Amino acid sequence: PTGAPAALPALKKQVPDADKVFLGTDSPATLTLVSKRSLTGVGQVRSGAAWRDFTFTCALMPSSGKVAGFTAVLKAPA
């Protein structure tokens, strides 16, 4: 997904040893294009051997579709 490259640096601020990010799942309902300027959804970030779930909002530039910002809210570890 488009936002994945922007997601890892943003998530590293919260999970310093994060090394892999997935946005969405196999279900299309896990990513929602709210408008030309905003994409929301769920994802997972890997830190060591553990995966953590998060929700996110990705700000988009309508003219190019590029990522303008990425905000993630981590769920508590299981």
Side-chain angles (χ1 to χ4, degrees), residues 36 45 59 61:
K36 291 188 284 188
V45 59
M61 292 184 281

Side-chain angles (χ1 to χ4, degrees), residues 22-71:
F22 286 110
L23 300 182
T25 67
D26 291 340
S27 169
T30 57
L31 296 175
T32 303
L33 189 60
V34 179
S35 69
K36 291 188 284 188
R37 296 180 183 273
S38 181
L39 176 73
T40 62
V42 299
Q44 289 187 313
V45 59
R46 183 174 69 183
S47 169
W51 286 90
R52 289 195 53 196
D53 294 326
F54 62 89
T55 57
F56 73 88
T57 301
C58 186
L60 305 171
M61 292 184 281
S63 59
S64 65
K66 292 191 175 170
V67 174
F70 187 91
T71 305

